[in-house]
Amino acid sequence: MFDDRSPIYRQIASRIKADVLSGALKGDDQVMSTTQYATYYRINPATAAKAFQQLVDEGVLYKKRGIGMFVSPDARDTLRAERRESFFAEVVEPMISEARAIGIPLRDVVRRIEEREQR
């Protein structure tokens, strides 16, 4: 499940975020405890705890003392908004810059995107 490209706690956080975005985890769903997560994936509990704390800090999860961790009700909307901003900054803006650099009118880029969407 984990690779060597990034720290395991970041991979855990990314996986949980992906589950929220896909709808596999919904608002107010309970997630595994850090101990359960560590046992299931055979990782250090501190690593799982670090991932969960990051998600709490980001507002993706919230804690209910003595009960566990839950998905924040607005987590999916928040994550989608963040991903949209990243998409425009990391994909669209460089694409526009490249199109301008090589002389492709933006209307041609838009037309190509619309054609792909209709396929």
Side-chain angles (χ1 to χ4, degrees):
M1 168 176 175
F2 303 112
D3 60 43
D4 292 333
R5 288 181 242 162
S6 65
I8 291 174
Y9 79 93
R10 286 191 183 152
Q11 293 178 56
I12 293 167
S14 293
R15 172 67 53 95
I16 292 172
K17 287 178 181 180
D19 287 346
V20 171
L21 281 167
S22 74
L25 287 173
K26 296 180 180 5
D28 294 316
D29 279 357
Q30 187 170 9
V31 297
M32 283 192 279
S33 71
T34 54
T35 303
Q36 290 169 322
Y37 209 92
T39 302
Y40 185 81
Y41 290 106
R42 296 181 182 181
I43 59 172
N44 187 317
T47 300
K50 187 171 182 177
F52 280 61
Q53 187 58 53
Q54 176 184 327
L55 293 168
V56 168
D57 293 345
E58 293 175 5
V60 176
L61 299 179
Y62 66 94
K63 298 177 188 179
K64 284 188 180 178
R65 193 182 243 330
I67 299 174
M69 297 274 203
F70 295 82
V71 177
S72 297
D74 60 346
R76 187 170 191 213
D77 292 338
T78 301
L79 290 172
R80 279 184 149 178
E82 289 172 5
R83 289 280 290 269
R84 281 187 200 110
E85 287 304 313
S86 293
F87 174 77
F88 284 109
E90 297 170 12
V91 177
V92 176
E93 293 299 329
M95 179 182 61
I96 291 169
S97 295
E98 181 67 13
R100 284 185 177 142
I102 60 176
I104 299 173
L106 291 181
R107 67 181 171 278
D108 290 354
V109 174
V110 171
R111 186 175 62 243
R112 178 68 63 97
I113 292 168
E114 289 171 344
E115 288 170 0
R116 292 287 295 192
E117 184 181 42
Q118 293 174 3
R119 288 187 200 170

